Amino acid sequence: MNILVLQGSPRLDGNTAKMCEAFARGAREAGHTVHIMNVARMSISECQGCLKCHSIPQGEELEASLHPEDGRCAIRDDMDKIYELWNEVEMMVFASPVYYGSPTAPILAVLHRSLAKFVPAKIKKTALILASLYEDVYHASEYIYYGYFQGYFNAEDCGVYTYAGLDDVPADKLNELEELGRSL
């Protein structure tokens, strides 16, 4: 399986990154191809809402003129690296620390810029990895995940994996993510 992990933490060795690496390690052991893209370290602008990706003519209904297979965002930046993989991945994992209840801005930028491509052509599975300082702050992030990423993609939900605290992610949590990767 071809897997894309979109990692939204600016901390290269933080808990989100460690959780992603544990998942990737298990998935690679099972023979899967895993691409981890640290979107927080990439240059990805927010969507401008110009709809040039769909060449919307004046006066036409939006739904009647959307052509996601032809979608090309007008913005040239690192999102192009994600677009290159978009229709080839069979699983996407969204990983982010939780800032004020939601995923980080880079993860949200990817979400918004996916307007150019819509649902990945081969997507079968999704998962969500969240890290935070406190328990019970995941509601908005889960709502976005189930309402758009997993829900809109109509993919199998492989679960939401969370860790809250200042300390390093404990071994049992990392093992759980490794096992998820192995079980695919």
Side-chain angles (χ1 to χ4, degrees):
M1 183 180 314
N2 198 359
I3 302 168
L4 175 60
V5 178
L6 297 169
Q7 204 274 84
S9 177
R11 296 179 59 214
L12 296 177
D13 197 32
N15 285 335
T16 305
K18 289 174 184 170
M19 293 168 76
C20 289
E21 286 300 327
F23 166 78
R25 189 170 38 256
R28 288 178 180 132
E29 286 175 14
H32 302 292
T33 301
V34 182
H35 310 272
I36 298 177
M37 293 194 164
N38 186 330
V39 298
R41 295 294 179 141
M42 298 169 74
S43 177
I44 300 176
S45 297
E46 67 274 3
C47 178
Q48 301 300 304
C50 66
L51 295 177
K52 289 182 182 174
C53 55
H54 298 290
S55 303
I56 306 297
Q58 281 284 13
E60 259 191 61
E61 290 296 318
L62 179 65
E63 290 298 320
S65 57
L66 293 178
H67 304 289
E69 67 278 359
D70 299 329
R72 179 166 163 81
C73 184
I75 302 168
R76 302 275 56 84
D77 62 13
D78 287 340
M79 187 68 186
D80 288 340
K81 295 173 185 172
I82 295 170
Y83 289 147
E84 287 174 18
L85 296 172
W86 194 258
N87 284 319
E88 300 305 315
V89 297
E90 297 159 279
M91 180 178 191
M92 275 196 208
V93 177
F94 307 97
S96 181
V98 175
Y99 293 172
Y100 294 93
S102 72
T104 59
I107 288 289
L108 294 174
V110 170
L111 164 69
H112 299 157
R113 294 279 300 282
S114 72
L115 173 66
K117 297 292 183 190
F118 286 121
V119 177
K122 298 179 182 178
I123 195 79
K124 295 176 186 159
K125 300 174 185 261
T126 60
L128 179 64
I129 296 172
L130 298 171
S132 67
L133 292 178
Y134 306 103
E135 292 286 346
D136 205 32
V137 296
Y138 304 115
H139 303 299
S141 297
E142 290 176 356
Y143 184 81
I144 291 167
Y145 169 69
Y146 286 116
Y148 179 75
F149 285 123
Q150 186 272 332
Y152 185 69
F153 289 0
N154 196 27
E156 177 188 338
D157 174 28
C158 292
V160 176
Y161 300 85
T162 63
Y163 173 69
L166 284 171
D167 298 327
D168 285 345
V169 181
D172 63 322
K173 286 282 185 180
L174 297 176
N175 290 338
E176 180 183 23
L177 285 158
E178 272 190 55
E179 187 51 42
L180 169 64
R182 277 190 217 98
S183 72
L184 300 173

